[in-house]
Every structure is written in C-alpha cells, then in structure tokens.
Amino acid sequence: MNTTKKKPTARERSPARKTGAVTCESVGLDPALYASALRYLFDRPVPADNEAEWFWNMDEPNFEAMPLQWVHIQTVLFANSATDLEPYSDEQVGLGLNYVMSNGVSDVSHMVNDRSVPLAEAMRMMKALPALWRDCIGPRMGDAQQTESGKKRLGFACFNWFDAWPSFWSAKHLPEWRDAMWNVLCDMLSSPWRDVQMAALDSLADDGCYLERPEQVQALIEAFLRNLRGDEELRTFALHAASMNAQAATIHQTDK
C-alpha cells in the first residue's frame, strides 16, 4: 500500500543513536505481531483534504493485542523508530503516532496503565520513549524539505503528545512514573531539535508541577535559557514554563 517512501535528509545527517538492545526478542514480543502492528499503524493511505483519517472509519477492525503486548509494541517502536519507520512518510508517521498517543483516537495510550502490565514493563517503555523524539520526530520535524502536510500531521503528534496522552496523567501518583517522565523531558530538552525542545517546554509548563521537583525543574529551564541564543520565541516558551513552575511551587507551599 505504501507508495510515499521518504528519507529525510536531517535523519541522514544525524544517524540514530543506540539506545540499547531493544528488540522483539529482548522484550518477549512475537516479531510477526510487531510487524503486523507497524503495518496497521503506519502503512496507510494519506487522506485528501476532504477525507477522514483511516482510524475514523467505523468499519476499520481493531488490532488484536493484549495490554502487555501493546506496551511491548510501543517499547520496540519507540526505541527503533528511526529505522523501523524509515519506509513511511511524515504524513503516515504522524497519523500512526496520533493513533498511539491520543485517547480520543484509540485505547493504546491506556494499555500501559492496565493492571496486567507490571510496573517494570511500563518503565522499560518509558525508557525507550526519548528515542522516538530524539531519533525520529525531531529529525523529521527539522527537515526543511518535508512537505507542509507532513509537518502538519507530524507536528500535531509533536506538539500535542502530552496533551492527548493519558499514560503519565493516570500514573502521576507513582514516584517511578514521575522519575520516568522527568527523564523523558530532560532528554527532550537537551536534544538538538527545536520542535522537540518546544514540546518539552510546553509539557513542563502544563505538567511540571506533577513531577513534584520544582527546584530541579527550575534549574533545568534556567540552564536551558543560559545556553539559548537568538531565538526569542523559544525563550518566551522557556520563560513561560519557568513562570508556571514557580506559580505551582508557590501554591503547593501555601497548601502545606
């Protein structure tokens, strides 16, 4: 079905970094099931302007996988996104990631919070998540040659991930999840990709208070600002995140 293979030059200039041996075999996932999941999520036609995305088709069958299998699929996908999503265009990647992240589109984002999923498996998925941003979303968004529609669809996933993704929100009371989310955002903010940095700052502004480490959040943003040169829009985003974090810390202190 796929006829729109695209090789962003940004990815070619910045090869994917190794994130450890995260494979189907290492997480106990059937490779055939993973291959089917990739086809289900990403090997889809890109709709025309007046057409709906594939996942709004009421006749579209659900992908049959247990919650733990979905967590394993995401773990392998995140860790190997630069290579495993190489055959797909930015539009296709954006559509597939929307299905994975958005609880308004599917239940995939809830699978990691299912009682049948061990916490250790959830944390392994979270450990793999930064690679999706660093090796796939960032390079694709930073590619000047990508199409406007590609940036629009992939941009929706980039800038709306943490707004539409309930996985952390549903588990924010657990210190392991707070630590994992903190590590994800630190990695995103330290990446060389501007759009990824902006997405991290937006999440720190909206959800930083739930990390329950206001001093560390403030120090992270201040360090980012010290190294920022000549980007007033990004500076504004960072200052807003710092202000929101300071307000949340003050409210929390008052409530004690």
Side-chain angles (χ1 to χ4, degrees), residues 27 56 62 109 112 131 134 138 144 179 184 209 239:
V27 303
W56 297 125
N62 291 325
S109 56
V112 71
R134 184 181 61 239
D179 290 346
V184 169
C209 59
L239 290 172

Side-chain angles (χ1 to χ4, degrees), residues 14-15 22 24-25 51 63 76-77 80 90 99 103 122-123 134 140 147 151 165 197 212 223 245:
S14 179
V22 180
C24 290
E25 291 74 16
E51 295 178 341
F63 186 82
V76 178
L77 170 63
N80 301 282
D90 294 334
Y99 187 92
N103 65 340
M123 294 300 95
R134 184 181 61 239
R140 283 177 178 265
T147 65
K151 191 147 190 172
W165 184 68
Q197 294 170 351
E212 296 190 8
N245 178 66

Side-chain angles (χ1 to χ4, degrees), residues 6-13 90 136-147 151 154 193 195:
K6 187 173 185 293
K7 295 182 179 180
T9 57
R11 261 203 322 281
E12 294 171 348
R13 293 193 301 268
D90 294 334
C136 179
I137 294 177
R140 283 177 178 265
M141 288 292 292
D143 181 10
Q145 296 182 12
Q146 72 173 285
T147 65
K151 191 147 190 172
L154 189 61
W193 307 111
D195 292 315

Side-chain angles (χ1 to χ4, degrees), residues 108-119:
V108 173
S109 56
H110 291 292
M111 296 301 180
V112 71
N113 303 123
D114 191 89
R115 291 183 178 181
S116 66
V117 176
L119 182 59

Side-chain angles (χ1 to χ4, degrees), residues 179-210:
D179 290 346
M181 186 66 176
W182 166 250
N183 290 332
V184 169
L185 294 176
C186 285
D187 194 288
M188 289 174 63
L189 200 57
S190 67
S191 83
W193 307 111
R194 182 182 186 275
D195 292 315
V196 174
Q197 294 170 351
M198 191 172 291
L201 290 168
D202 187 53
S203 182
L204 285 169
D206 293 341
D207 304 318
C209 59
Y210 301 114

Side-chain angles (χ1 to χ4, degrees), residues 31-217:
L33 182 67
Y34 179 64
S36 295
L38 288 182
R39 290 192 297 271
Y40 181 83
L41 293 169
F42 302 105
D43 194 5
R44 298 287 189 164
V46 178
D49 291 340
N50 60 341
E51 295 178 341
E53 290 83 354
W54 64 268
F55 40 70
W56 297 125
N57 182 357
M58 298 298 294
D59 296 325
E60 179 65 39
N62 291 325
F63 186 82
E64 297 298 330
M66 300 296 289
L68 183 57
Q69 290 175 319
W70 263 120
V71 172
H72 287 161
I73 289 167
Q74 291 176 87
T75 301
V76 178
L77 170 63
F78 296 161
N80 301 282
S81 53
T83 53
D84 290 359
L85 298 185
E86 179 69 24
Y88 307 108
S89 72
D90 294 334
E91 293 95 327
Q92 290 174 307
V93 170
L95 288 169
L97 291 181
N98 191 3
Y99 187 92
V100 169
M101 77 183 198
S102 177
N103 65 340
V105 174
S106 78
D107 292 330
V108 173
S109 56
H110 291 292
M111 296 301 180
V112 71
N113 303 123
D114 191 89
R115 291 183 178 181
S116 66
V117 176
L119 182 59
E121 296 298 333
M123 294 300 95
R124 179 156 60 176
M125 187 197 83
M126 288 295 289
K127 187 176 181 180
L129 182 55
L132 173 67
W133 296 88
R134 184 181 61 239
D135 301 337
C136 179
I137 294 177
R140 283 177 178 265
M141 288 292 292
D143 181 10
Q145 296 182 12
Q146 72 173 285
T147 65
E148 196 61 35
S149 62
K151 191 147 190 172
K152 179 180 178 181
R153 296 183 186 281
L154 189 61
F156 180 85
C158 178
F159 298 123
N160 292 277
W161 185 285
F162 298 109
D163 294 327
W165 184 68
S167 302
F168 171 66
W169 179 260
S170 300
K172 62 184 183 297
H173 59 286
L174 297 176
E176 294 87 350
W177 268 91
R178 293 196 296 270
D179 290 346
M181 186 66 176
W182 166 250
N183 290 332
V184 169
L185 294 176
C186 285
D187 194 288
M188 289 174 63
L189 200 57
S190 67
S191 83
W193 307 111
R194 182 182 186 275
D195 292 315
V196 174
Q197 294 170 351
M198 191 172 291
L201 290 168
D202 187 53
S203 182
L204 285 169
D206 293 341
D207 304 318
C209 59
Y210 301 114
L211 299 173
E212 296 190 8
R213 57 189 84 209
E215 295 85 2
Q216 288 177 271
V217 170

